[in-house]
Amino acid sequence: MARRPTPPGTPDTTAVGHMVDLVRAAVPPLHPAGLPFVAVPLAVAVVGGRNKWVRRAGLSAAAACAAFFRHPHRVPPNRPGIVVAPADGEVALVDTAVPPAELGLGDQPLPRVSIFLSVLDVHVQRVPVSGTVREVLHQPGKFLSADLPEASDANERNSMLIDTADGKQVVVVQIAGLLARRIVCDARVGDVLTIGDTYGLIRFGSRVDTYFPVGTELLVAPGQRTIGAETVLAVLG
């Protein structure tokens, strides 16, 4: 959801309109999956409005859910051959690992970057590279803390394989965490995706792994913070 530039010839906005634009730019929109989580506590606040504690609790819960399900605008770089971060968070691992077995890609370890998302991070997932979706597979599993190395293999996950236009393959895996109990993936096999587009969401603490072809140049290090759709993780070899 890149923010579009103002086309030439567009009339100047009024002072009120300018203020509205500034608020829209500063306050991220809400992902549709978060609407029920915001609406329910708001309804509680309205129904129990005469009780200040109920009202405050409802409004606080609604604000917390709105913050969790925020869906900020992002503008991906236009450099060819790059792979951007699929999520906001902290780089937990930069290593090589065998991709999820359910994808049938063999047992050769591939370069991997794992990003850990705390409950305070934006939890929508972005498409790391433009291409066509070849596989989308869900694998049941455990709900270990997502910052543990074994979470990649043991935890519930959703794996997506993307074929790029120049024949490279990139795998992005949504991994449930200790608190996460719901993985949402809107992409389907055959979809043509554009780098930086939103394709999914994990609720309440999670991890996203990206696997790259052999020969890829990785550009991040453990402990680095990433911005989904904007931080460049790697350059495909």
Side-chain angles (χ1 to χ4, degrees), residues 33-46:
L35 291 175
F37 292 87
V38 175
V40 171
L42 280 179
V44 170
V46 171

Side-chain angles (χ1 to χ4, degrees), residues 70-171:
R70 63 194 186 277
H71 188 192
H73 297 289
R74 297 288 166 77
V75 180
N78 59 7
R79 177 182 171 185
I82 62 170
V83 182
V84 298
D88 290 33
E90 180 178 327
V91 176
L93 293 171
V94 177
D95 60 3
T96 58
V98 176
E102 60 268 21
L103 291 175
L105 297 179
D107 56 4
Q108 179 184 14
L110 300 177
R112 176 182 67 173
V113 173
S114 296
I115 299 173
F116 173 70
L117 295 73
S118 77
V119 294
L120 300 179
D121 286 309
V122 173
H123 271 66
V124 297
Q125 278 77 63
R126 317 277 180 160
V127 179
V129 64
S130 296
T132 302
V133 179
R134 178 178 169 185
E135 293 283 358
V136 178
L137 296 171
H138 180 265
Q139 181 71 22
K142 300 179 181 179
F143 296 98
L144 303 177
S145 178
D147 58 346
L148 297 175
E150 56 265 33
S152 292
D153 296 322
N155 281 21
E156 182 167 333
R157 61 183 180 264
N158 190 84
S159 304
M160 180 169 68
L161 175 62
I162 301 174
D163 288 339
T164 68
D166 56 356
K168 303 294 176 60
Q169 291 187 324
V170 174
V171 175

Side-chain angles (χ1 to χ4, degrees), residues 30-64:
L30 185 69
H31 190 279
L35 291 175
F37 292 87
V38 175
V40 171
L42 280 179
V44 170
V46 171
V47 173
R50 293 185 178 182
N51 185 310
K52 67 176 182 179
W53 299 112
V54 173
R55 183 174 66 252
R56 290 176 180 176
L59 292 176
S60 297

